[in-house]
Amino acid sequence: MTALRRQLEAAEPDLRATLIDSLASNAQQGNDPATAEDLAWAILRFGLARPALRRYLIGDADIQAAEQATLVAVALRISSWRAEGSFAAWLQQVATNEARQLIRAESRHAQRRELLDTDGGLDTAPGEGFINRVSSMIANEQAVQAQLALLSDPLRHALVLREYQGLTYDEIATQLGLPLSTAKTHVRRARMALADALIASQLP
């Protein structure tokens, strides 16, 4: 362990914050790769990005993925940090952006799966669907239900049948008296609307 890392380990929180600001300022100049490595180490060692990530994400795997993405973003964007503000505050915004991007990527992934699910056979088991995945990432069941209630009736009914009751698209179409293509469209649009609403509800 380097002398700087030992110093950071031993420092009280206020002094550590000052030392990290200084470290970030040095990393910003880009003259010493070791400085950037020390900054990344400090972000991970002291969980500096995690308060922001935990505002949006719950699952450990999602938090770790967003934390790694935050490290990359810091390395790429450190020149945009204005040293008159604290590095920690800037880092929180970077981490927030990465968490939100992860959520949006998950939403897009669900939409792609929806388009590929032409026979209604994928993702039909209750408890393993999009709502539960999104709620585990950024909210809790109460928040999901609150946003779900705001969807229009056709979209909400289709999504509940798909995600909570585990019906196939054929079964949804039959139960709601819709063409199969319309049933799929309702579910897809409901997922998109719910994801967007949950993201918006978590914004400061």
Side-chain angles (χ1 to χ4, degrees):
M1 181 181 290
T2 66
L4 174 59
R5 295 184 186 185
R6 287 195 295 270
Q7 187 179 12
L8 287 169
E9 287 272 15
E12 295 295 326
D14 287 347
L15 176 58
R16 181 182 299 140
T18 300
L19 292 172
I20 289 173
D21 281 350
S22 177
L23 177 60
S25 181
N26 291 336
Q28 187 181 49
Q29 298 174 23
N31 297 325
D32 184 3
T35 302
E37 292 175 8
D38 284 339
L39 183 60
W41 173 87
I43 292 171
L44 289 176
R45 173 64 182 84
F46 303 111
L48 301 181
R50 295 209 163 203
L53 298 177
R54 288 195 177 107
R55 291 181 58 201
Y56 294 84
L57 309 171
I58 295 176
D60 288 341
D62 294 318
I63 290 173
Q64 290 172 7
E67 189 173 42
Q68 292 296 324
T70 298
L71 292 179
V72 174
V74 167
L76 294 175
R77 304 173 196 164
I78 187 66
S79 61
S80 68
W81 172 53
R82 297 294 177 259
E84 60 267 18
S86 75
F87 175 75
W90 179 79
L91 177 65
Q92 296 304 295
Q93 186 57 54
V94 173
T96 293
N97 290 339
E98 294 305 319
R100 287 160 58 186
Q101 287 186 33
L102 180 63
I103 295 164
R104 292 188 178 102
E106 178 65 25
S107 176
R108 289 193 295 269
H109 174 67
Q111 294 164 33
R112 287 194 296 271
R113 289 193 62 189
E114 185 74 22
L115 292 172
L116 292 172
D117 187 10
T118 56
D119 62 0
L122 294 178
D123 193 25
T124 58
E128 297 180 0
F130 176 79
I131 289 178
N132 293 329
R133 174 61 175 159
V134 172
S135 65
S136 74
M137 291 177 68
I138 65 172
N140 52 42
E141 189 62 17
Q142 183 178 5
V144 172
Q145 290 295 335
Q147 296 301 329
L148 187 62
L150 299 178
L151 296 179
S152 66
D153 286 346
L155 298 188
R156 183 175 68 255
H157 292 160
L159 192 60
V160 167
L161 291 174
R162 178 66 172 172
E163 298 295 351
Y164 283 105
Q165 297 184 28
L167 271 61
T168 67
Y169 290 112
D170 285 330
E171 291 169 334
I172 294 171
T174 298
Q175 183 159 330
L176 297 181
L178 299 171
L180 178 59
S181 60
T182 302
K184 290 184 176 183
T185 297
H186 280 2
V187 172
R188 183 170 62 252
R189 289 179 178 173
R191 285 173 167 167
M192 294 170 62
L194 182 62
D196 288 343
L198 284 168
I199 292 169
S201 72
Q202 297 295 310
L203 295 178

